[in-house]
Amino acid sequence: LDYEQLHGKEISFNNVNDLYGAVALVREFGSQIVTAAIKHSTPCGVAIGSTGYESFMKAYEADPQSIFGGIVAVNYKIDKATALEMNKIFLEIVAAPCFDEDALAVLKKKKNLRILKSVSS
């Protein structure tokens, strides 16, 4: 996994372990728009959608309690609407191939949130 950290505090070993799992899970779905949420090495929400927003909301709604403090990996560009929903809960990491500028501004409001942009597939 090759990511550029755009924001947040240093990544811990547990974060890296969960990130690997989330990214591997996302890759299982090929080119479908997918969101994977992992916490303590356990998937707590995985969903495909017609948009990134729909995918994230479905993944969140799968288990709105367990996703708290989790790692979210996606295979789509995060937009402002999705970032606003992500910011409603505590997440350790949001990892994506890219972010809208407005989405980054929203996500960066959380001081410790680690925002990761993939720099290779």
Side-chain angles (χ1 to χ4, degrees), residues 63-64 91 121:
D63 189 344
L91 296 172
S121 56

Side-chain angles (χ1 to χ4, degrees), residues 1 17 19 39 41-42 46-48 50-51 54-55 59 67 70 72 100 102 109:
L1 297 176
N17 191 41
L19 178 63
K39 184 174 176 184
S41 303
T42 305
V46 181
I48 58 172
S50 59
T51 65
E54 179 185 16
S55 173
I67 195 173
V72 171
D100 282 350
D102 290 341
K109 289 179 181 177

Side-chain angles (χ1 to χ4, degrees), residues 16-118:
V16 170
N17 191 41
D18 285 350
L19 178 63
Y20 270 97
V23 170
L25 189 51
V26 166
R27 288 180 177 164
E28 289 292 320
F29 289 85
S31 63
Q32 296 178 83
I33 297 170
V34 65
T35 300
I38 302 260
K39 184 174 176 184
H40 303 308
S41 303
T42 305
C44 53
V46 181
I48 58 172
S50 59
T51 65
Y53 179 86
E54 179 185 16
S55 173
F56 174 75
M57 292 308 297
K58 285 180 174 181
Y60 168 77
E61 290 165 1
D63 189 344
Q65 290 183 331
S66 293
I67 195 173
F68 184 86
I71 308 296
V72 171
V74 306
N75 64 351
Y76 52 84
K77 183 178 198 174
I78 295 180
D79 62 12
K80 184 178 181 181
T82 307
L84 286 168
E85 291 298 328
M86 290 175 167
N87 260 17
K88 290 180 180 179
I89 58 172
F90 169 63
L91 296 172
E92 291 279 353
I93 294 178
V94 173
C98 51
F99 301 82
D100 282 350
E101 283 185 39
D102 290 341
L104 269 179
V106 167
L107 293 170
K108 285 182 176 181
K109 289 179 181 177
K110 294 220 173 178
K111 178 182 170 188
N112 293 325
L113 174 65
R114 298 154 182 100
I115 302 170
L116 304 178
K117 178 182 175 184
S118 58

